[in-house]
Every structure is written in structure tokens, then in C-alpha cells.
Amino acid sequence: MGFEEMWSKIGSIMATIMFMYAMFEKFFPPHLRMHVQKYTHKLASFLSPYIQITFPEFAGERLKRSEAFTAIQTYLSATSSLSAKRLKAEVVKDSQTQVVLSMDDSEEVSDDLFSFYPASDEKRYYILSFHKRYRDLIAHSYIPHVLEEGKAIKIKNRQLKLYTNNCSTGWYGWNRAKWSNVTFEHPARFETLAMEPNKKEEIINDLTKFKKGKEYYAKIGKAWKRGYLLYGPPGTGKSTMIAAMANFLYYDVYDLELTSVKDNTQLRTLLIETSSKSILVIEDIDCSLDLTGKRRNKRNGKGNQDNDESNKDPVKNAEEEDNKDSKVTLSGLLNCIDGIWSACAGERIIVFTTNFVDKLDPALIRSGRMDKHIELSYCCFEAFKVLATNYLDIDDHHHHHLFSIVERLLGEVNVTPADVAEKIMPKSNSDDSEICLKNLIEFLESAKKKEEEEDEEESRLKEEKEREHGELKNNGVKENGFIH
């Protein structure tokens, strides 16, 4: 059979098929055509060795955007989009990847042997086609791999956010959110953090171990979270430490303002709305609410209460409770950070900060809730050297004599890293490193003198008090002597 004869027969067959299909569409009733098409599709599926899986963009009862669709889209943007002809570019500020490329709509790409076909804009979905002999490989290895890689790439390309909780009165209505956010652009890094190198290395190792501990936490049966308590005087770098942790882990930050939370139920609702790979922060926990260990006393043996509230009218007490801005309790907070609800987000750091750790209830800061306690104290010489490098680009080889004076004074006076940083920061173009160091030395000497004067005044007052106490005691003895 010649080439022309073969094409002639193929053309004749195609024409016959088209004629029969036209007759079928014209003369067969609609309900009968539907049944014929149904069984025709079944026959074709039975004979075809290929399987198709569809991933729609929107799924579920409320037609929310599918996480699987988003993960596949992200995965293809970083892998298969290299072979695509039409791409979309998005500039993501301050992310690990400045320009993110993704496939244009209706672009077809292939990943190894398996093809994804994005559909039209009206109902977008991806179709995964593969031979049926690869069914187990696709279901148990390939699809989980694509979803995990897509999520990882999305996290890498995302822009860090700083969230704060909105007032509970604005939670309701159209398009109302419980958290509002801005771009997190804090430049703090552990490299620029002014603290002892050994303590800094210990924190970095702890964070690294936590970030890679998914399997370990699952093995020991604990929620994948870790609590940090940062304590120390004001100006010692607690907020800067949180920013450095966020940039190191590449986690979003949720700054929770407890005083704007109405009750424990709303606190749990806020917790549910947080995402994984985040740091939940409650700053100045000792000032946020009455969570500092001042619990109500129980009834004594006589059945009386030790506080004055027992004598108030019950109706008045109820009105005062209703008028309080927040009814978040210590037990409610503990349940959120360590109870069943604490595992709702996964992979999360919880950070409390306080200036007065002794005021906190022991139940709030025990191990398992606040796993690691980090004291951020006054500036030491090692921390000063980091500040000198950051602010002045110098080390002790440049001004060894001045560095020696600073080292001696820092061992004699308590000043915060914030105070030291302010004094060594150049205030004009004419301020060189030597002038800045001398300004710091002058400040340290002045602070030392002030501390000595305060110590002398305290000692004087103590001596006067002891002398007055001794005189009163002697007078009491004399009076007793006269009485006897």
C-alpha cells in the first residue's frame, strides 16, 4: 500500500466518524446521548493505560483556596517553569529571592514524565497524568514530594510579617481580620547582637536544634514548640533578641497584646489564627495583666475569706467584673501556651519578656512552658567589642589603651548595651572613633561616680536607721528598769 493510499483511507475513516457523530448529535435524544457518552467514557477509561488526578484551585464546603493547588503552583514556579515559554515575574521585597518567576496562565509544562495542565482563568486546576503502573509511586512518593517542596519554596520566597492582634470589637463584619500585619524589616542579626559569644552560640545552637526537630518532637510525643523567657533590666536588648531570632529562623512574628483580648475564649481564637513557623511574643508579661502570682486566697478554717472582696455586694462585684477591659486569666494563658490548644499551629517559638522575673508566677515560667531562660544583663566587655565593631568598625588593636580603660570601667559600673551604643554612635561627621570612645569613657566615669554617691547615701541611711533602732531599744531597757 502506497503512502497516498494510506492517507486516503485514514481520511475516509475520519470522515465516516465525523458523519456518524453528526448524526448522533442530531437524531439521538439528549438523555440517550448522555447515557451513551457516559458508557463511552467508561470504555475509553478501561482501555486507556493512563490515570488523571485533578487539583482544583478552590475546594471544600466554603470553596477555600486549596493548599495543594498553591503548593503545586509554587513547586512549578521553581522547577518546571524553567522550560515554560511564558512567565510572570513578581518582586518580593526583602525576601530570600528578590524576583519570583511563575508560569503564566494556560501555560503547559512537564515535570519529568508527568505533565500538569493549568486550565482557563474561570476554573483553574492542575491535571496530573501518568501511566497506571506508576500509581503507587505517584500516590505515596511523588505527590507528597511536590506538596512538601512547594511549601518549602513558598516559605523561602515569602516576605516576613509582623502581626499584632486587633481589638476584639472589630472582629466582626465583612473582611474583618483578627490580626493586622506589616512587613517585618528589623535588621537585627545574631552577628550584630551585643552579648557574650558563648551565650550567643548557645542560643543559636538551641534554635537550630528546634528548627530541625520535627521528627524528634513527634517521636517524644510533644507539640513542636519551644518557650523562651527573656529577662533583664530595660535596655539590655530583649526586643532586639526577638528580632534576631525571627531573622535567623525566618519566622513571622506575632506580637500579642493581652490587654486588648477580652477573655480566654478570644485568646484561643487568636491562637488558632496564627500560622506555623512563627514567634508568638508577649512583651512585659509582668505588666500585661494580673498574672504575677497574686492569686486569690482560699477560705480559711473558719470559712472566712482573707480579702476584702468578700464584704462587697455580689451584684456590685459582678458589675465590676463586667466592666473590666480584659478577663484573660492565668490558667487561660497557661492552657494556650502549654495545653491542648498550644499544638494548633505547630513549629512555633513562644517568647515572654520581663524586667522583673521575680514577680512572675512560678507556674508561668516552669520548664515545659518556658523551656529556656535567657538573662540579658548589663553590658560586658565582650558585648562592647561587638558594638565597637558595628558602630565604629574598630577593634582593640586600633585603640588598645582606650579599650583597656573601657574594660576596667565596665567591670566597675552597670550600664546597658543601649546606653553604650548611644555614647559610641558618631553624632557628626567630625566624630572619629577616638572621640566616640572618649565620650563613652566620660559617661562610664560619671555613672561610676553616681553609683558611688548612691551607695554612700544608702549606707548613711542604713547606719542612721540602725542607730535609731539601737537608741529605741536602749530606751526600752531603761524604762523597764524603772518599772521593775
Side-chain angles (χ1 to χ4, degrees):
M1 181 184 297
F3 184 76
E4 293 181 358
E5 293 181 4
M6 182 183 69
W7 275 108
S8 177
K9 286 193 175 184
I10 292 176
S12 177
I13 293 172
M14 292 297 296
T16 303
I17 293 174
M18 294 298 294
F19 175 78
M20 294 178 63
Y21 183 77
M23 293 298 101
F24 173 77
E25 289 285 330
K26 184 175 182 179
F27 295 106
F28 275 64
H31 66 279
L32 184 58
R33 291 203 308 266
M34 182 178 65
H35 285 289
V36 172
Q37 289 172 350
K38 176 181 177 181
Y39 288 104
T40 301
H41 287 311
K42 286 186 176 182
L43 179 61
S45 300
F46 178 77
L47 296 177
S48 174
Y50 291 94
I51 297 175
Q52 288 187 348
I53 299 178
T54 302
F55 299 89
E57 182 177 10
F58 297 97
E61 295 180 357
R62 299 183 180 180
L63 292 180
K64 291 185 177 181
R65 187 176 176 88
S66 169
E67 292 185 5
F69 182 92
T70 303
I72 293 171
Q73 188 177 49
T74 307
Y75 173 80
L76 294 177
S77 298
T79 55
S80 301
S81 60
L82 296 176
S83 61
K85 301 297 183 181
R86 292 175 296 175
L87 300 172
K88 293 185 297 185
E90 181 182 1
V91 178
V92 181
K93 183 181 178 183
D94 296 328
S95 72
Q96 297 182 18
T97 303
Q98 293 295 322
V99 179
V100 179
L101 298 178
S102 61
M103 291 186 304
D104 199 0
D105 294 335
S106 302
E107 178 73 8
E108 177 184 334
V109 296
S110 297
D111 182 67
D112 293 334
L113 299 176
F114 316 112
S115 299
F116 292 94
Y117 303 93
S120 63
D121 293 338
E122 295 181 358
K123 292 183 179 180
R124 301 197 306 170
Y125 52 86
Y126 289 101
I127 297 177
L128 173 60
S129 300
F130 55 92
H131 198 282
K132 61 183 180 182
R133 65 171 173 264
Y134 298 124
R135 187 187 188 109
D136 291 339
L137 175 66
I138 294 296
H140 300 111
S141 298
Y142 181 71
I143 293 179
H145 166 75
V146 170
L147 298 181
E148 288 295 325
E149 285 294 313
K151 292 178 182 178
I153 295 169
K154 182 180 178 182
I155 292 171
K156 179 181 178 181
N157 293 340
R158 84 188 195 281
Q159 192 174 37
L160 291 186
K161 299 290 185 180
L162 172 62
Y163 293 85
T164 185
N165 52 303
N166 295 323
C167 181
S168 58
T169 57
W171 284 11
Y172 308 101
W174 182 79
N175 201 25
R176 296 295 180 90
K178 297 173 179 61
W179 295 92
S180 57
N181 67 82
V182 295
T183 303
F184 183 77
E185 298 179 326
H186 201 293
R189 299 289 190 278
F190 275 108
E191 293 80 8
T192 61
L193 206 60
M195 64 184 306
E196 297 178 8
N198 292 338
K199 183 181 290 186
K200 185 189 302 186
E201 188 67 23
E202 179 184 346
I203 297 171
I204 292 174
N205 292 337
D206 190 81
L207 292 172
T208 303
K209 182 71 174 177
F210 170 81
K211 189 174 184 179
K212 299 179 179 179
K214 181 178 181 179
E215 290 78 10
Y216 177 76
Y217 278 85
K219 174 186 174 184
I220 63 177
K222 288 186 64 176
W224 192 9
K225 67 178 183 64
R226 189 158 178 80
Y228 283 76
L229 175 67
L230 308 183
Y231 65 96
T236 52
K238 295 184 286 294
S239 298
T240 306
M241 168 66 76
I242 295 171
M245 292 168 64
N247 286 323
F248 177 76
L249 296 169
Y250 211 69
Y251 283 4
D252 292 325
V253 178
Y254 287 84
D255 185 15
L256 177 60
E257 178 55 55
L258 281 178
T259 55
S260 64
V261 182
K262 184 179 180 181
D263 51 31
N264 295 335
T265 301
Q266 288 192 350
L267 182 61
R268 287 195 295 269
T269 303
L270 283 169
L271 183 71
I272 294 172
E273 292 289 329
T274 61
S275 62
S276 63
K277 295 186 181 296
S278 62
I279 300 177
L280 178 66
V281 180
I282 304 179
E283 293 199 87
D284 298 321
I285 184 66
D286 53 301
C287 302
S288 296
L289 291 174
D290 187 15
L291 303 172
T292 56
K294 298 179 181 178
R295 305 182 185 184
R296 293 182 179 179
N297 295 321
K298 297 181 179 180
R299 292 180 179 272
N300 56 27
K302 297 180 180 180
N304 298 323
Q305 287 187 343
D306 296 331
N307 52 35
D308 296 334
E309 293 183 359
S310 60
N311 299 322
K312 292 183 180 180
D313 182 23
V315 176
K316 187 175 181 180
N317 278 338
E319 291 177 352
E320 290 179 357
E321 288 293 326
D322 289 338
N323 291 330
K324 287 184 178 180
D325 293 334
S326 177
K327 296 181 183 178
V328 176
T329 63
L330 176 61
S331 61
L333 180 62
L334 296 182
N335 287 334
C336 286
I337 65 173
D338 191 37
I340 296 177
W341 291 97
S342 65
C344 64
E347 193 174 358
R348 182 173 53 192
I349 299 287
I350 302 173
V351 178
F352 289 168
T353 71
T354 180
N355 296 332
F356 308 100
V357 67
D358 296 334
K359 290 185 178 181
L360 298 182
D361 193 299
L364 189 67
I365 59 177
R366 70 163 175 80
S367 298
R369 287 172 179 153
M370 294 295 105
D371 305 285
K372 193 168 184 62
H373 296 193
I374 302 174
E375 181 180 10
L376 299 175
S377 188
Y378 295 105
C379 188
C380 62
F381 183 62
E382 293 296 327
F384 160 74
K385 289 195 292 185
V386 176
L387 292 173
T389 302
N390 295 340
Y391 284 77
L392 303 174
D393 293 324
I394 61 172
D395 54 31
D396 54 355
H397 297 293
H398 292 83
H399 302 283
H400 181 71
H401 175 64
L402 296 178
F403 268 65
S404 299
I405 298 175
V406 171
E407 182 179 11
R408 175 179 58 80
L409 290 172
L410 287 177
E412 298 172 351
V413 65
N414 291 329
V415 294
T416 65
D419 290 331
V420 174
E422 171 61 24
K423 297 306 174 183
I424 66 174
M425 179 183 291
K427 305 301 187 297
S428 66
N429 293 332
S430 60
D431 288 353
D432 58 14
S433 58
E434 184 175 354
I435 292 176
C436 293
L437 289 176
K438 288 181 178 179
N439 290 339
L440 174 62
I441 291 173
E442 183 180 350
F443 166 74
L444 293 176
E445 290 175 341
S446 176
K448 179 184 176 182
K449 184 178 179 181
K450 184 178 179 180
E451 279 191 4
E452 290 174 347
E453 292 175 352
E454 291 176 351
D455 291 341
E456 291 176 0
E457 180 66 16
E458 185 178 352
S459 299
R460 185 183 65 80
L461 293 175
K462 185 177 180 180
E463 290 177 358
E464 289 182 359
K465 188 175 181 179
E466 290 177 350
R467 185 168 60 252
E468 291 176 357
H469 180 72
E471 291 176 356
L472 290 174
K473 185 176 181 181
N474 292 333
N475 291 336
V477 172
K478 289 179 181 179
E479 289 176 0
N480 289 334
F482 284 117
I483 291 173
H484 290 292

